[in-house]
Structures are given as C-alpha cells and as structure tokens.
Amino acid sequence: MPALSEQTILDCLNQIRDPKTGRSVVDLGLVTGLVIKGGNVGFALEIDPKDAPEMELLRKKCEQAVFALPGVTSASVVLTAEQKPAAPRAAAPGHGHAHGQPQGQPQTVAKPTVPGVAAIVAVASGKGGVGKSTSAVNLALGLQSLGLKVGMLDADVYGPSLPRMLGLKGKPQTKDGKKLLPMENWGLKVMSMGFLVEEDTPMIWRGPMIMSALQQMVFDVEWGELDVLVVDMPPGTGDAQLTLAQRVPLAGAVIISTPQDIALIDARKGLNMFRKVDVPVFGIIENMSYFLCPSCGERSDIFGHGGARETAKELGTDFLGEIPLHMEIRQTSDAGTPVTASAPSSAHAKIYRELAAKIQEKIEAGLGIESGPRIIIE
Ligand code: ADP
C-alpha cells in the first residue's frame, strides 16, 4: 500500500463543503496542522468559536470521509479557533500554559458534554504498573466519602482492572436497548470493558476501535446525576490517550507516578500530553512513595523519595501528596475491597480522602470558571 500523501487527504477534503457558503473546507482555508503518521491522520478545522455547534457536523463529515480512504486506520479532526488578541483567557487553576506548550498553534476544541455529569477527572500515568488503577479507585471512593456522587470509567481497555478491584461481576444491562446501565458496588457507578470481555482475553485494538469503544463507554452509558466521573486512563501517552483527552470533556487530570526517575520521565510525558490538548493538570501524586514496616513502624524510602514533588515543582504543577507502599493497599485492591471503603478509619483511607479533598477543591475552582459549552481557547 503506497504511503498516504497530503494531497490525497486534501483531495478528499475538497469534496466536503460548508453548507453555509457551499465552498469546500480546503477552499475556505479551514484545514490546518495536517499530520500523517502511517495510517493515522489528524488535522484541525480552524473556525470561529461561535460556529462551534454547526461546525461539529462538518468536523464529523471530514473525519468520516478521511477514515473511509484506503490505508487510513484512524482519523482525528478537532475544531480550533484563533484567540482574539483582546479576549480574556479562560484558564482553569493549575493550568500551566507557560510550560511545554506548543507555541503558535491556536486551538479551540468544542467537546460534547456528558448529560448529568458535572465533572470528569482523568487519572493517568506515563507508564503501566505504577498503581494508577488502585489510586483511581481509592481516590474515587475518597471523593465519595466527601459526600459526592461518583462514577468510574475504566478506560484502560488493554487491561481493564476495575471489575476485579471493585469486586464487580456480571454484564451491564440496558433499559432501552440504546444506553448501558453502569454496574454498582461500594456506592460507585462503574463502566468497564472488563464487563463486556473476560479479563484474561487478549484484546487487539486498532486505534479507531478503541476510540469508538471509549466514546460509547462515556456517552452511551446512563450515568444518572454524578458530581464526578473518575476515568482510569490507559497507561502511557499514545494515540488512544491523546484522543481520549481531546474528545472527552475533562475538567482536569491527575498524574500518578512512582518515585523512580524513569517513572517520572514518563510522568512528564503524561503531563505534557494533557497540556497539549489544554486539559488542566490538577497535579502529581507519588504512589509507593515510602515503605512503613508493619512490624517495627520504620520508614524506608525504597525507590528514593520526593522525586515527584521535585518534578511537579520543575514542571509548574502541584504536588498533591504521597501514598505509601503497603501490603494492605495491595491486598484490598486486588481482593475487590478497596481500603478507602472497606477500612474507612484506617490511616490509608485517610491519605486517600485527603488527596480526594485536594482534587475536589480543584474541580470546584475549575467549575466556577467554566460555564456553558466547553470551548477551550489556547
Ligand atoms: P496500574 O494501573 O498503574 O497498572 P495497578 O493499580 O494495577 O497499576 O497496581 C499494580 C499493582 O500494584 C497492584 O497489584 C496493586 O495492588 C499494587 N499497588 C498499587 N499501589 C500500591 C501501594 N500504594 N501499595 C502497595 N501496592 C500497591
């Protein structure tokens, strides 16, 4: 199969016309930032922010047309708009524009909201195995213990672990044949690919399949009224993560890292990914930060300690706190009885609650600023 050329994509887009003017998106000069990587194609349509709702249709048409081209395995189109020089900047707290931001690439992304869900928070990590899912579950339960209605979406399609960590089995039901009802345990409403496919089944995902599965898990689930939907992101910073961060109206992201240098390098990548798509990073949490000996109480900094705090400072984001490496956390997490819910008066539950309170503060500060449809202007 010959490599895809820019011209092929532009020829295809030349057929897509703006219904208002009857001119093609190429003629109108709307297409910017075309990137072709193997079979993955991405570009932006530069629009006036006030046209965002009608341009969404055009965006979809472009995406479908490009996706239908032979050799294209994924097509990702976003709406962008140049910021008017005098317009005030709609920035949320913790939103460090000064760092790692691509310069001179104005971007506006209009994202559909999820009905009934007030805020969506991503829990992410630059790589697997750092305790992202364990932390996400306990932070969700911590938010719940603060009186919030909380849901969880397991977006880790490669290794969905929420069913096991939350002790959930069975298949989600549907009321109307269109929307899935989330499963429930420990007071959380949960949706996971793990409910639909056995945990041990190897899953081979192509980019567009991941996106359509994830989009359905966000938008085609009857979440009801939620204060927060916590998304356990797939580990890493590949296309699936980036597209998810672009498509889902995230109020912010929390990055989980272990103290080792290597994990922190990955954490930086995660942080920069969210910044690139203008999602506020609430901060970094250091997991498996230190070891408290259960018999003598002595503290050991097995992986070194404090790396995440320093990285957070360097990167201009908040350091939210530390979670120790402890058998109780592992056992309860792997047994489907997460510590924050099963032992709410334990020291570990308290740590997760305190971290959750910081996240709640960030969410609320952000909601105070954002109103109406989320159009993010870079
Ligand atoms: P990830 O989602 O980053 O792949 P998991 O949350 O699945 O990581 O955690 C990997 C393993 O580490 C699990 O067995 C989990 O129980 C354990 N774990 C995570 N955080 C801690 C911790 N703070 N103390 C002890 N074990 C932990």
Side-chain angles (χ1 to χ4, degrees), residues 176-323:
D176 55 3
K178 286 190 199 128
K179 288 209 163 192
L180 285 177
L181 294 169
M183 308 279 279
E184 276 192 66
N185 203 11
W186 304 104
L188 297 176
K189 289 189 175 169
V190 188
M191 184 47 68
S192 167
M193 191 54 66
F195 296 142
L196 309 172
V197 187
E198 295 304 321
E199 191 173 18
D200 296 335
T201 312
M203 276 185 267
I204 299 163
W205 291 96
R206 286 196 310 130
M209 282 162 68
I210 296 186
M211 266 333 294
S212 73
L214 286 177
Q215 242 163 329
Q216 278 182 32
M217 289 206 298
V218 177
F219 294 104
D220 297 345
V221 168
E222 193 67 61
W223 291 108
E225 294 295 314
L226 290 183
D227 296 307
V228 191
L229 177 64
V230 175
V231 181
D232 182 10
M233 294 283 286
T237 49
D239 285 351
Q241 294 80 347
L242 187 67
T243 319
L244 191 65
Q246 274 174 326
R247 301 269 178 92
V248 176
L250 294 173
V254 174
I255 314 268
I256 310 291
S257 179
T258 52
Q260 301 102 305
D261 264 346
I262 182 70
L264 290 174
I265 291 167
D266 290 309
R268 281 168 210 246
K269 281 195 218 148
L271 195 108
N272 285 332
M273 177 184 80
F274 286 111
R275 285 186 168 158
K276 228 192 302 190
V277 292
D278 231 340
V279 170
V281 174
F282 288 162
I284 300 182
I285 292 178
E286 188 170 273
N287 186 39
M288 310 195 203
S289 182
Y290 54 91
F291 174 72
L292 269 188
C293 173
S295 19
C296 69
E298 194 193 343
R299 172 179 167 142
S300 318
D301 293 336
I302 296 181
F303 300 118
H305 173 250
R309 186 189 288 274
E310 278 157 31
T311 303
K313 204 165 146 199
E314 261 172 51
L315 296 174
T317 190
D318 283 358
F319 178 69
L320 299 175
E322 320 170 321
I323 303 164

